[in-house]
Amino acid sequence: MGVRLIVNGHEHDLDVPPEMPLLWVLRDVLGLTGTKYGCGIAACGACTVHVDGRAERSCVLEVGSVAGKRVTTIEGLDPAGEHPVQRAWREMNVPQCGFCQTGQIMQAAALLAENPKPSDEDIVQALDGNICRCGCYERIHAAVRLAATGV
Amino acid sequence: MLSAILARNGHSRSLPLLANVSRRDLLRGTVSAGAFVLAARFLPPEAAQAATFYRVGGEDMPNGLVYDPHVFVAIEPDGTVVIVAHRSEMGQGARTSLPMVVADELEADWSRVRIVQAPGDEPRYGNQDTDGSRSMRHHIQSMRHIGASVRHMLEQAAAQRWQVPKSEVRAELHKVVHRPTGRSLDYGELAQDLKAMPAPSREEVQWKDPKDFRYIGTGKIAIYDLRDITVGKAIYAHDVRVPGMKFAVVARPPVVGARIRSYDASRALAVPGVERVVEIPGSDIGAKFAPLGGLAVVASNTWAALKGREALAIDWDRGPHAVYDSAEYEKRMRELARKPGKVVRDQGNIEEAFARAAKVFAAEYYVPHHAHVTMETPAAVADVRDGRAEIWASVQSPWGTRQDVAKLLGVSADDVTVHVTLLGGGFGRKSKCDYVLEAALVSREIGAPVQVLWTREDDIRHGFYHTVSLERLEAAIDSDGRVIGWRHRSVAPTILSTFDASAQHQFDIELGMGLVDNPFDIPNMRMENPPIEAHVRIGWFRSVSNIPRAFAIQSFVAELAHELGKDPKDFLLELIGPPRHIDPVAAGIQDKLWNYGESLDVYPIDTGRLAHVVRVAAEAIGWGRKLPPGHGLGIAVHRSFVTYVATAVEVAVDEKGRISIPVVHTAIDCGFCANPERVKSQIEGAAVQGLTLALYGNLTFANGEAQQSNYHDYPVARLSDAPKVVHTHIVPHPFEVPASGVGEPGVPPFAPALANAVFAATGKRIRDLPLAKHDLRRI
Ligand code: FES
Ligand code: FES
């Protein structure tokens, strides 16, 4: 056993079973609690991280499958916390309880990295897998648009 | 009975501080040593007759309201103003908005304010039960008074330093200025002087002129935790980590009240990382917030605990509630609703009205159980050792939790500390602390700190659910098309059953939520409540019984309008009638009307305000405008939590019967509005939660077991479902119009407004929620 993991640029040699989902490695082993548990079945997006730049649901991703790949969590999205998506989120006062928001932000950041000028429909498609039980959707949509266009 | 449920007593002295990776011994002391605190001088509310105070129900709640500035504010030598947030934050904004009120009166610079979260300690902070849409409603006056008191003390301290009359000094944005000379002292420079200064009396304290508010009413203050949330540093109960902490999940009974006959934990214990399996005693309906029982699997990480739980073999005695079948139960509710039940309001002569009616209409409305599915599932960390318990949890009722933990462990509440984390959603679920009690039991057993985390499956299968309900409405119409009689029967298992398993009738709180307080101008009305027993744990769910009542009444109004060939909005206003205050005695309400704990003098049932929000919402959406094919407008209004909300919805239904919502206009009259930005966000959120209720929410039971388990079979509204835009129209009021509830009242009118819009668009009248189970293609 043992997995070499690169998280937010730091390498870790971990003594964990390779089938353990990345989510629990991040949260319970590495103490990176910004990535959230919401469903465990890839149905809510709360656990979204980037693997080699792509948005992935860490709750269903075996840690062994990402060995050696670049994993980015909300803590590492931008060292100063000033990623355009984070700034847009603050500008629009998006959160209510806030619990879903790190997953939403990671999903939005991955969308914009791939598609810097998304249409309204692109935004809906990309973020439809991220539940916000508080219902901040209108602001989430507006914040992604703001991050993309500056308006 | 209510007072028995709500009674909270006890005493303690713990101090606030949030806890990630802090240890017990680091948590002593609110703020740094230079801060002023503790020269407490209690101001009994009765002592003050200041004309500016109106009386709120918070005074009558357990431990009431606290007006002492020393309890809530400290100023550090560097000038940081530390303000205690004593209510739980679950997305509604209380943790920001109440300190914002203090800061405004205090003339504090918001960028120099630090907020600390109070632990559960009601004798010190006053009532902390964060439910019932009460935070701003009950606490805005005490928060203003506290801020203004500290401002008064700062001015007094500066005047003493300068040896000048107090009338010559004035606090202004974190400084006290001597007006004749222009010299000034920063708040930090005065911090020492405040330490021993007694709090001023109410008569001495001057509130600001509202035109001088810097933050209140502006909507310009972002939530305090905004940055932490966006960078992943906000700490919820899921995120608490203390040294040596173990991770646990619990295998709970498949049916409420089921008991373990025998079990085999050997395979679970063989899972790498699993350390212990701990038995938790079981409970049945009626045991308040007692854990359901089962087996806790304790491990070095959550995943190992989950694997261990899967490997358990448990033989359950399924108990008496294995009979529960929600389809059968619905049939029984319908039968009961067709026969007379306990009369809870009787006005005029209902029999005579129906006897002379030219026409009679009747309809039945069904709303199934719902689960809260807070984004953060219930979770708590407990460290129980040496007869003391330290808890970190996302709870709406930290003081109630503290007492329940003490009782469970057989220790004094003085030996229990409950730290309140941020709540990843509450909606009433986190008013019930069963998950904290589980953590406390497991920690005591293993002698180490432990986190008990509920999976989404646990959350949906083992909750305290929103009641299931059948509301039957009958209207007697005379030959002029006027409604002369109104009969409303409400059948639903009561929340009371969670405290007393034998309870079969709804109690005053449930009856007051849209049943007996019906404001319509109809001469003959009778409301009845046939009895029915509960087979699952029933609990508060954001806006509670107002959900089925608003759905039934506001749908029925639109149905009657259609039958009578009238415009639904005009007919709704006709039923509301002329502006007046409802008199519960004249209305024939049998017991004392429960007005959300408020007096009717301060918070009347005002039909003028009710009608006004209808007009505002209707006008905003362009009621009566020409719509594209497949579109429809619907409207509904409901007073709840002493607030008036009308929602107008435009729906579009495509040829496949799928709905989308181009626009929503909601008008809210919540009295004086302290934080319009958070009111707006609550209304936006209520529209989405109302949409989930209307469109998807459907929790069913067979053989006593919940048939749904996660978001795939218990869906909630997503971005693609959500209204494209929700406009919030806040009816402006001066401070003298008492602030009323905001967190919940946006929810009830949404489902009926949507159902009415669907009818307008398609000709399909949906009386049984959720909409998703019906074919909504146009007729
Ligand atoms: S926790 Fe991974 S998608 Fe919900
Ligand atoms: S902000 Fe609460 S779940 Fe999204």
Side-chain angles (χ1 to χ4, degrees):
Chain A
M1 289 209 291
V3 175
R4 168 156 295 196
L5 199 59
I6 309 166
V7 181
N8 301 332
H10 300 289
E11 279 191 30
H12 304 270
D13 283 311
L14 299 172
D15 180 22
V16 294
E19 66 274 20
M20 186 163 166
L22 175 63
L23 172 67
W24 301 116
V25 177
L26 294 171
R27 292 183 51 80
D28 295 356
V29 181
L30 296 177
L32 292 170
T33 55
T35 304
K36 304 299 187 197
Y37 166 81
C39 71
I41 60 165
C44 80
C47 64
T48 303
V49 299
H50 298 171
V51 178
D52 287 342
R54 287 173 45 100
E56 298 281 359
R57 304 293 188 238
S58 65
C59 67
V60 291
L61 206 57
E62 293 188 358
V63 65
S65 74
V66 298
K69 299 187 183 169
R70 272 185 311 119
V71 175
T72 306
T73 70
I74 186 72
E75 290 90 347
L77 180 64
D78 180 81
E82 296 291 330
H83 188 282
V85 171
Q86 290 170 313
R87 291 210 308 268
W89 242 248
R90 297 196 282 264
E91 183 68 24
M92 301 302 301
N93 283 316
V94 172
Q96 289 180 41
C97 81
F99 193 81
C100 73
Q101 301 295 348
T102 53
Q104 306 272 3
I105 288 168
M106 295 305 282
Q107 189 71 37
L111 165 69
L112 296 183
E114 200 178 296
N115 177 3
K117 294 274 172 266
S119 66
D120 283 349
E121 193 43 44
D122 292 339
I123 296 172
V124 172
Q125 290 245 317
L127 277 90
D128 213 34
N130 290 72
I131 290 173
C132 175
R133 177 62 167 153
C134 296
C136 306
Y137 293 122
E138 189 183 331
R139 296 187 193 209
I140 287 169
H141 193 281
V144 180
R145 169 130 314 295
L146 175 67
T149 62
V151 289
Chain B
M1 176 52 82
L2 172 62
S3 57
I5 292 168
L6 294 179
R8 309 255 196 259
N9 50 51
H11 170 76
S12 91
R13 277 264 146 218
S14 54
L15 294 163
L17 204 69
L18 183 66
N20 221 17
V21 299
S22 296
R23 293 304 304 143
R24 181 177 288 163
D25 27 329
L26 297 179
L27 298 175
R28 299 290 175 224
T30 322
V31 289
S32 71
F36 88 85
V37 265
L38 299 175
R41 180 171 142 198
F42 183 62
L43 296 163
E46 302 86 311
Q49 294 302 318
T52 42
F53 284 84
Y54 53 85
R55 188 174 175 85
V56 289
E59 301 287 4
D60 307 316
M61 301 259 318
N63 298 300
L65 304 176
V66 168
Y67 294 81
D68 185 347
H70 289 289
V71 167
F72 280 90
V73 180
I75 300 180
E76 298 192 331
D78 70 357
T80 301
V81 169
V82 181
I83 304 176
V84 173
H86 68 303
R87 313 277 294 171
S88 299
E89 176 58 56
M90 49 190 151
Q92 86 283 35
R95 177 171 147 89
T96 300
S97 301
L98 291 174
M100 178 196 81
V101 172
V102 176
D104 199 323
E105 279 289 354
L106 209 165
E107 274 291 304
D109 176 348
W110 186 250
S111 68
R112 296 175 69 189
V113 168
R114 182 153 59 88
I115 295 173
V116 297
Q117 189 70 35
D121 191 354
E122 290 191 358
R124 182 165 171 78
Y125 301 106
N127 189 275
Q128 293 180 279
D129 244 344
T130 316
D131 59 11
S133 298
R134 292 187 284 228
S135 289
M136 193 55 77
R137 164 157 57 112
H138 284 178
H139 300 267
I140 188 169
Q141 296 182 105
S142 56
M143 294 296 124
R144 278 193 79 179
H145 178 79
I146 285 164
S149 297
V150 179
R151 174 165 44 80
H152 175 97
M153 293 158 78
L154 286 159
E155 288 174 347
Q156 193 170 314
Q160 274 165 14
R161 286 261 192 114
W162 291 321
Q163 294 293 303
V164 300
K166 183 169 170 290
S167 58
E168 290 183 4
V169 309
R170 192 185 151 94
E172 259 178 47
L173 201 60
H174 237 88
K175 286 200 286 277
V176 183
V177 181
H178 182 230
R179 285 185 295 179
T181 61
R183 33 187 188 160
S184 68
L185 286 165
D186 185 84
Y187 283 2
E189 296 173 89
L190 293 163
Q192 283 295 328
D193 305 31
L194 300 189
K195 274 185 173 175
M197 189 182 285
S201 70
R202 282 199 184 186
E203 291 68 29
E204 288 173 279
V205 173
Q206 294 260 310
W207 286 5
K208 271 177 149 180
D209 184 329
K211 74 173 171 24
D212 297 327
F213 284 151
R214 293 178 185 278
Y215 315 124
I216 297 172
T218 66
K220 296 220 171 85
I221 297 299
I223 55 169
Y224 184 70
D225 301 290
L226 182 58
R227 188 179 174 88
D228 283 353
I229 287 169
T230 59
V231 299
K233 285 199 184 123
I235 302 296
Y236 303 85
H238 278 207
D239 306 325
V240 172
R241 300 287 180 262
V242 298
M245 187 185 100
K246 306 295 180 191
F247 298 82
V249 295
V250 179
R252 296 180 188 80
V255 181
V256 177
R259 305 289 166 133
I260 295 175
R261 267 202 211 104
S262 63
Y263 69 92
D264 177 359
S266 55
R267 283 179 50 234
L269 288 164
V271 171
V274 171
E275 298 174 6
R276 289 280 300 273
V277 171
V278 174
E279 202 166 338
I280 298 177
S283 70
D284 204 337
I285 291 171
K288 197 186 166 196
F289 309 143
L292 287 169
L295 296 177
V297 179
V298 183
S300 57
N301 61 74
T302 308
W303 188 69
L306 289 167
K307 285 281 154 206
R309 184 169 74 171
E310 281 169 23
L312 288 169
I314 308 176
D315 180 20
W316 297 99
D317 171 352
R318 297 170 64 85
H321 301 297
V323 297
Y324 189 43
D325 178 298
S326 42
E328 284 301 313
Y329 195 81
E330 179 187 342
K331 285 190 201 132
R332 275 186 55 216
M333 289 202 295
R334 280 188 201 278
E335 283 163 21
L336 285 163
R338 289 170 191 165
K339 291 183 292 207
K342 180 184 168 190
V343 176
V344 291
R345 173 172 168 186
D346 202 12
Q347 172 189 329
N349 187 333
I350 194 74
E351 311 295 355
E352 191 262 345
F354 275 86
R356 70 182 166 91
K359 284 186 210 162
V360 169
F361 294 106
E364 292 167 1
Y365 302 88
Y366 177 73
V367 181
H369 285 297
H370 293 290
H372 302 78
V373 289
T374 53
M375 205 73 226
E376 180 203 31
T377 55
V381 173
D383 185 358
V384 180
R385 278 183 282 187
D386 311 325
R388 282 192 41 86
E390 186 153 25
I391 307 288
W392 295 264
S394 50
V395 284
Q396 292 174 241
S397 54
W399 175 244
T401 300
R402 183 167 156 196
Q403 290 180 297
D404 285 354
V405 168
K407 198 167 155 208
L408 177 82
L409 300 176
V411 301
S412 151
D414 289 339
D415 292 320
V416 179
T417 306
V418 175
H419 304 282
V420 183
T421 64
L422 291 175
L423 281 61
F427 316 130
R429 173 63 183 90
K430 293 172 185 171
S431 294
K432 302 101 174 170
C433 63
D434 54 336
Y435 49 101
V436 183
L437 302 179
E438 290 176 340
L441 284 174
V442 176
S443 176
R444 181 174 68 178
E445 187 63 27
I446 66 172
V450 66
Q451 177 180 65
V452 167
L453 181 116
W454 286 44
T455 63
R456 182 62 60 202
E457 290 81 2
D458 299 338
D459 177 44
I460 292 177
R461 288 182 182 145
H462 306 298
F464 290 85
Y465 305 111
H466 172 62
T467 192
V468 54
S469 58
L470 200 287
E471 309 276 322
R472 180 180 168 89
L473 286 155
E474 298 171 7
I477 315 287
D478 72 6
S479 50
D480 298 328
R482 286 179 314 136
V483 182
I484 54 169
W486 181 277
R487 193 192 328 258
H488 184 163
R489 288 199 194 108
S490 173
V491 185
T494 170
I495 287 173
L496 217 47
S497 61
T498 293
F499 304 87
D500 170 4
S502 69
Q504 299 207 1
H505 285 290
Q506 299 176 45
F507 70 140
D508 59 353
I509 288 184
E510 294 164 308
L511 299 174
M513 289 185 174
L515 183 65
V516 299
D517 54 328
N518 184 316
F520 288 162
D521 187 20
I522 298 171
N524 307 292
M525 299 179 102
R526 180 177 287 171
M527 282 72 173
E528 299 174 22
N529 172 224
I532 196 160
E533 80 291 348
H535 289 292
V536 291
R537 302 189 299 180
I538 307 294
W540 301 275
F541 178 106
R542 188 180 186 183
S543 84
V544 201
S545 304
N546 290 295
I547 292 167
R549 302 287 163 53
F551 177 63
I553 294 168
Q554 296 294 310
S555 297
F556 193 54
V557 168
E559 292 207 52
L560 291 177
H562 180 74
E563 293 292 344
L564 299 171
K566 297 184 179 181
D567 174 80
K569 182 262 298 178
D570 294 342
F571 185 62
L572 174 57
L573 289 170
E574 185 184 320
L575 286 182
I576 293 170
R580 66 201 185 283
H581 291 181
I582 303 296
D583 170 0
V585 175
I589 296 172
Q590 306 288 294
D591 294 315
K592 191 174 161 359
L593 169 67
W594 185 75
N595 186 38
Y596 299 88
E598 305 293 351
S599 97
L600 283 164
D601 299 332
V602 180
Y603 291 98
I605 301 174
D606 183 331
T607 57
R609 291 171 73 180
L610 191 70
H612 182 66
V613 290
V614 173
R615 292 194 189 95
V616 171
E619 190 182 326
I621 205 162
W623 190 261
R625 73 182 143 93
K626 194 165 160 29
L627 295 163
H631 285 234
L633 298 183
I635 195 164
V637 69
H638 194 71
R639 174 188 183 271
S640 63
F641 306 90
V642 291
T643 281
Y644 307 81
V645 180
T647 293
V649 174
E650 179 176 346
V651 76
V653 185
D654 71 13
E655 60 292 341
K656 295 211 173 95
R658 289 175 310 207
I659 73 163
S660 58
I661 301 173
V663 66
V664 174
H665 284 270
T666 296
I668 175 168
D669 178 345
C670 55
F672 176 74
C673 176
N675 192 350
E677 195 280 326
R678 282 295 98 176
V679 171
K680 199 169 166 317
S681 78
Q682 283 302 287
I683 292 300
E684 291 161 9
V688 174
Q689 202 156 89
L691 176 61
T692 294
L693 278 169
L695 191 55
Y696 294 130
N698 191 18
L699 190 72
T700 60
F701 290 82
N703 303 316
E705 291 185 37
Q707 299 297 288
Q708 291 74 30
S709 64
N710 207 320
Y711 289 125
H712 66 290
D713 56 6
Y714 189 78
V716 298
R718 292 174 181 270
L719 181 57
S720 59
D721 301 308
K724 293 286 167 292
V725 50
V726 177
H727 295 284
T728 305
H729 307 272
I730 302 171
V731 177
H733 284 297
F735 189 80
E736 290 67 34
V737 179
S740 54
V742 170
E744 295 167 90
V747 173
F750 190 88
L754 178 62
N756 291 340
V758 165
F759 177 77
T762 65
K764 297 249 170 101
R765 171 55 61 183
I766 304 303
R767 296 181 180 137
D768 300 345
L769 294 183
L771 296 173
K773 75 179 183 192
H774 301 274
D775 175 0
L776 296 182
R777 281 174 300 182
R778 251 166 282 162
I779 294 173

